[in-house]
Amino acid sequence: MLCGKGFSSNAVYHAINAAYPIAKVVVEEKVNTKEFLKRRVKKLGLITVAGQVLFQAIAVRMLNAASRKRTAQLVKELQLNGSDIPPAAVSNVNSINDEEVITLLQAIQPDLVIVNGTRIISKKVLGSVQCRFINTHAGITPKYRGVHGTYWALANKDVQNSGVTVHLVDAGIDTGSVLYQAAVMPTAKDNFVTYPLLQLAAGIPLLKQAVADALGGTISTRKGTDESKLWSHPTIWQYVYNRIFKKVK
């Protein structure tokens, strides 16, 4: 398993490992914030990135505080195990694209690699072993590639495309062939910070099925949406507008 640090990676590990023992978990460090923002400014522009930073600093912080009870309720009801991955199973790396990751993969020669919450995986890593890489994406692809697929679907009044996708990993950003998809319908109690929990819970059974398919040699792909678009974090002004005029929290 190749993953980033966080609750979703822990939950995926425990859910899959219970049915299909995972030989090794490679956990990468978070991208350096300064470098991340520099690249984001170059791609999206200073004003947009400033709005995204304000959204994270103000709106997300407030939503997290206001949603503690709902978050705890969902974790319990959806049976999401976010406890730490056993340290003995973990190898920590700076980047999932480091040479040491290739060395480790080639030593293990896995039947399958599960991906969760990493940066874009390089072609060199993807081609280093003869097995499939499978990812769970919080959005319906390819229409909602990138991040926060359910939030953007709701903001676009596109509730039929609020959901989660399990797909094969390629060198693009959420462009791999679709294996399974499921709809996610948030309630009035949910918001930006709880949508991902609903998506995670809906995606885990699909991921389990995809793992079974891959190991059993019965994996098959299906057509995704006709439209393809890459989405980023909302800015503070986008969030305020969508909350006031579209009632999307």
Side-chain angles (χ1 to χ4, degrees), residues 1-13 25-31 85 90 92-94 96 114-119 135:
M1 179 173 174
L2 306 182
C3 64
K5 293 180 177 180
F7 181 89
S8 69
S9 292
N10 295 349
V12 167
Y13 169 83
V25 182
V26 181
V27 181
E28 72 172 358
E29 294 294 328
K30 291 184 177 179
V31 180
I85 299 170
V90 174
N92 293 289
V93 297
N94 288 325
I96 217 67
I114 296 167
V115 178
N116 191 84
T118 70
R119 67 195 75 188
N135 180 58

Side-chain angles (χ1 to χ4, degrees), residues 204-215:
I204 284 174
L206 305 184
L207 179 59
K208 284 184 179 179
Q209 185 58 57
V211 170
D213 294 346
L215 296 179

Side-chain angles (χ1 to χ4, degrees), residues 180-191:
Y180 291 102
Q181 292 181 319
V184 170
M185 300 300 167
T187 70
K189 297 179 181 179
D190 294 304
N191 59 46

Side-chain angles (χ1 to χ4, degrees), residues 103-120:
T103 300
L104 190 150
L105 287 172
Q106 291 178 337
I108 296 173
Q109 288 297 313
D111 298 313
L112 178 69
V113 177
I114 296 167
V115 178
N116 191 84
T118 70
R119 67 195 75 188
I120 302 304

Side-chain angles (χ1 to χ4, degrees), residues 1 3-16 25 27-28 30 64 68 70-85 116-117 193-202 204:
M1 179 173 174
C3 64
K5 293 180 177 180
F7 181 89
S8 69
S9 292
N10 295 349
V12 167
Y13 169 83
H14 289 296
I16 300 303
V25 182
V27 181
E28 72 172 358
K30 291 184 177 179
N64 276 322
R68 288 190 183 121
R70 176 60 175 166
T71 297
Q73 177 189 21
L74 286 175
V75 169
K76 182 178 180 180
E77 289 182 356
L78 300 174
Q79 299 181 7
L80 298 172
N81 182 357
S83 60
D84 290 342
I85 299 170
N116 191 84
V193 301
T194 63
Y195 299 153
L197 291 175
L198 300 174
Q199 292 171 294
L200 178 61
I204 284 174

Side-chain angles (χ1 to χ4, degrees), residues 116-243:
N116 191 84
T118 70
R119 67 195 75 188
I120 302 304
I121 301 176
S122 69
K123 290 181 180 179
K124 190 174 181 180
V125 171
L126 293 174
S128 65
V129 286
Q130 295 299 311
C131 73
R132 291 182 171 94
F133 290 64
I134 296 179
N135 180 58
T136 305
H137 171 67
I140 295 295
T141 62
K143 190 171 186 179
Y144 291 98
R145 298 184 293 112
V147 292
H148 310 304
T150 280
Y151 173 79
W152 288 117
L154 296 176
N156 292 335
K157 298 187 182 299
D158 187 22
V159 67
Q160 67 270 22
N161 282 308
S162 163
V164 62
T165 301
V166 173
H167 65 91
L168 297 177
V169 178
D170 61 16
I173 302 177
D174 305 319
T175 53
S177 299
V178 173
L179 301 177
Y180 291 102
Q181 292 181 319
V184 170
M185 300 300 167
T187 70
K189 297 179 181 179
D190 294 304
N191 59 46
F192 184 87
V193 301
T194 63
Y195 299 153
L197 291 175
L198 300 174
Q199 292 171 294
L200 178 61
I204 284 174
L206 305 184
L207 179 59
K208 284 184 179 179
Q209 185 58 57
V211 170
D213 294 346
L215 296 179
T218 60
I219 200 165
S220 61
T221 61
R222 61 202 66 206
K223 188 179 183 298
T225 54
D226 292 327
E227 185 179 345
S228 177
K229 185 173 180 180
L230 183 64
W231 297 83
S232 187
H233 302 280
T235 62
I236 187 68
W237 40 86
Q238 284 175 319
Y239 180 77
V240 170
Y241 177 86
N242 288 332
R243 179 147 189 168

